PDB file of all heavy atoms in Angstrom:
ATOM      1  N   THR A  22      84.625 124.888 107.354  1.00 97.00           N
ATOM      2  CA  THR A  22      85.971 124.725 107.915  1.00 97.00           C
ATOM      3  C   THR A  22      86.242 125.719 109.043  1.00 97.00           C
ATOM      4  O   THR A  22      87.083 125.455 109.905  1.00 97.00           O
ATOM      5  CB  THR A  22      87.055 124.870 106.822  1.00 97.00           C
ATOM      6  OG1 THR A  22      86.982 126.183 106.263  1.00 97.00           O
ATOM      7  CG2 THR A  22      86.889 123.826 105.733  1.00 97.00           C
ATOM      8  N   SER A  30      95.135 126.658 116.303  1.00 95.00           N
ATOM      9  CA  SER A  30      95.889 127.881 116.000  1.00 95.00           C
ATOM     10  C   SER A  30      96.415 127.775 114.566  1.00 95.00           C
ATOM     11  O   SER A  30      96.411 126.700 113.964  1.00 95.00           O
ATOM     12  CB  SER A  30      97.070 128.015 116.959  1.00 95.00           C
ATOM     13  OG  SER A  30      97.983 126.939 116.731  1.00 95.00           O
ATOM     14  N   GLY A  33      99.104 125.231 114.542  1.00 93.00           N
ATOM     15  CA  GLY A  33      98.562 123.866 114.617  1.00 93.00           C
ATOM     16  C   GLY A  33      98.034 123.403 113.274  1.00 93.00           C
ATOM     17  O   GLY A  33      98.192 122.235 112.894  1.00 93.00           O
ATOM     18  N   LEU A  85      97.335 110.331 132.095  1.00 95.00           N
ATOM     19  CA  LEU A  85      95.914 110.653 132.244  1.00 95.00           C
ATOM     20  C   LEU A  85      95.727 112.157 132.458  1.00 95.00           C
ATOM     21  O   LEU A  85      94.814 112.769 131.901  1.00 95.00           O
ATOM     22  CB  LEU A  85      95.343 109.856 133.427  1.00 95.00           C
ATOM     23  CG  LEU A  85      93.847 109.941 133.671  1.00 95.00           C
ATOM     24  CD1 LEU A  85      93.047 109.611 132.422  1.00 95.00           C
ATOM     25  CD2 LEU A  85      93.451 108.997 134.802  1.00 95.00           C
ATOM     26  N   ASP A 209      77.700  90.932 126.773  1.00 98.00           N
ATOM     27  CA  ASP A 209      76.299  90.635 127.116  1.00 98.00           C
ATOM     28  C   ASP A 209      76.129  90.486 128.627  1.00 98.00           C
ATOM     29  O   ASP A 209      75.174  90.999 129.218  1.00 98.00           O
ATOM     30  CB  ASP A 209      75.834  89.339 126.434  1.00 98.00           C
ATOM     31  CG  ASP A 209      75.574  89.541 124.942  1.00 98.00           C
ATOM     32  OD1 ASP A 209      75.613  90.700 124.484  1.00 98.00           O
ATOM     33  OD2 ASP A 209      75.349  88.536 124.238  1.00 98.00           O
ATOM     34  N   PHE A 221      75.115 101.874 130.311  1.00 98.00           N
ATOM     35  CA  PHE A 221      76.502 102.199 130.656  1.00 98.00           C
ATOM     36  C   PHE A 221      77.507 101.352 129.876  1.00 98.00           C
ATOM     37  O   PHE A 221      78.601 101.804 129.570  1.00 98.00           O
ATOM     38  CB  PHE A 221      76.744 102.027 132.161  1.00 98.00           C
ATOM     39  CG  PHE A 221      75.938 102.973 133.006  1.00 98.00           C
ATOM     40  CD1 PHE A 221      74.958 102.500 133.865  1.00 98.00           C
ATOM     41  CD2 PHE A 221      76.140 104.344 132.915  1.00 98.00           C
ATOM     42  CE1 PHE A 221      74.199 103.379 134.626  1.00 98.00           C
ATOM     43  CE2 PHE A 221      75.382 105.239 133.671  1.00 98.00           C
ATOM     44  CZ  PHE A 221      74.406 104.755 134.533  1.00 98.00           C
ATOM     45  N   LEU A 237      73.374  92.140 115.554  1.00 98.00           N
ATOM     46  CA  LEU A 237      72.826  93.308 116.272  1.00 98.00           C
ATOM     47  C   LEU A 237      71.358  93.058 116.608  1.00 98.00           C
ATOM     48  O   LEU A 237      70.915  93.293 117.740  1.00 98.00           O
ATOM     49  CB  LEU A 237      72.967  94.567 115.399  1.00 98.00           C
ATOM     50  CG  LEU A 237      72.256  95.829 115.905  1.00 98.00           C
ATOM     51  CD1 LEU A 237      72.882  96.359 117.196  1.00 98.00           C
ATOM     52  CD2 LEU A 237      72.284  96.937 114.828  1.00 98.00           C
ATOM     53  N   GLN A 239      69.864  90.156 116.890  1.00 98.00           N
ATOM     54  CA  GLN A 239      69.798  89.088 117.907  1.00 98.00           C
ATOM     55  C   GLN A 239      70.157  89.623 119.298  1.00 98.00           C
ATOM     56  O   GLN A 239      69.526  89.263 120.291  1.00 98.00           O
ATOM     57  CB  GLN A 239      70.767  87.954 117.542  1.00 98.00           C
ATOM     58  CG  GLN A 239      70.334  87.138 116.338  1.00 98.00           C
ATOM     59  CD  GLN A 239      71.460  86.245 115.819  1.00 98.00           C
ATOM     60  OE1 GLN A 239      72.558  86.195 116.396  1.00 98.00           O
ATOM     61  NE2 GLN A 239      71.207  85.554 114.715  1.00 98.00           N
ATOM     62  N   SER A 275      85.654  84.346 104.190  1.00 95.00           N
ATOM     63  CA  SER A 275      86.001  85.585 104.881  1.00 95.00           C
ATOM     64  C   SER A 275      84.751  86.183 105.527  1.00 95.00           C
ATOM     65  O   SER A 275      83.684  86.219 104.919  1.00 95.00           O
ATOM     66  CB  SER A 275      86.597  86.594 103.894  1.00 95.00           C
ATOM     67  OG  SER A 275      86.678  87.855 104.515  1.00 95.00           O
ATOM     68  N   PHE A 305      75.816 104.422 119.949  1.00 98.00           N
ATOM     69  CA  PHE A 305      77.091 105.142 119.841  1.00 98.00           C
ATOM     70  C   PHE A 305      77.554 105.016 118.396  1.00 98.00           C
ATOM     71  O   PHE A 305      77.831 103.908 117.915  1.00 98.00           O
ATOM     72  CB  PHE A 305      78.117 104.527 120.810  1.00 98.00           C
ATOM     73  CG  PHE A 305      79.432 105.262 120.873  1.00 98.00           C
ATOM     74  CD1 PHE A 305      79.673 106.202 121.866  1.00 98.00           C
ATOM     75  CD2 PHE A 305      80.434 105.002 119.943  1.00 98.00           C
ATOM     76  CE1 PHE A 305      80.896 106.874 121.941  1.00 98.00           C
ATOM     77  CE2 PHE A 305      81.652 105.668 120.002  1.00 98.00           C
ATOM     78  CZ  PHE A 305      81.889 106.612 121.004  1.00 98.00           C
ATOM     79  N   ILE A 345      83.590 116.819 110.860  1.00 97.00           N
ATOM     80  CA  ILE A 345      82.370 116.149 111.336  1.00 97.00           C
ATOM     81  C   ILE A 345      82.143 116.491 112.808  1.00 97.00           C
ATOM     82  O   ILE A 345      81.081 116.975 113.197  1.00 97.00           O
ATOM     83  CB  ILE A 345      82.476 114.613 111.171  1.00 97.00           C
ATOM     84  CG1 ILE A 345      82.639 114.241 109.701  1.00 97.00           C
ATOM     85  CG2 ILE A 345      81.259 113.920 111.775  1.00 97.00           C
ATOM     86  CD1 ILE A 345      82.824 112.742 109.442  1.00 97.00           C
ATOM     87  N   LEU A 349      79.068 118.905 114.220  1.00 97.00           N
ATOM     88  CA  LEU A 349      78.010 118.249 115.000  1.00 97.00           C
ATOM     89  C   LEU A 349      77.858 118.935 116.364  1.00 97.00           C
ATOM     90  O   LEU A 349      76.751 119.226 116.810  1.00 97.00           O
ATOM     91  CB  LEU A 349      78.327 116.764 115.202  1.00 97.00           C
ATOM     92  CG  LEU A 349      78.041 115.816 114.035  1.00 97.00           C
ATOM     93  CD1 LEU A 349      78.672 114.447 114.289  1.00 97.00           C
ATOM     94  CD2 LEU A 349      76.536 115.646 113.787  1.00 97.00           C
ATOM     95  N   VAL A 368     102.479 103.539 123.040  1.00 87.00           N
ATOM     96  CA  VAL A 368     101.330 103.848 122.184  1.00 87.00           C
ATOM     97  C   VAL A 368     101.695 103.707 120.699  1.00 87.00           C
ATOM     98  O   VAL A 368     100.832 103.747 119.830  1.00 87.00           O
ATOM     99  CB  VAL A 368     100.784 105.271 122.521  1.00 87.00           C
ATOM    100  CG1 VAL A 368      99.630 105.659 121.625  1.00 87.00           C
ATOM    101  CG2 VAL A 368     100.312 105.330 123.965  1.00 87.00           C
TER     102      VAL A 368
END
Side-chain angles (χ1 to χ4, degrees):
T22 62
S30 65
L85 186 53
D209 285 352
F221 296 115
L237 171 67
Q239 289 167 3
S275 169
F305 185 96
I345 298 177
L349 281 168
V368 178

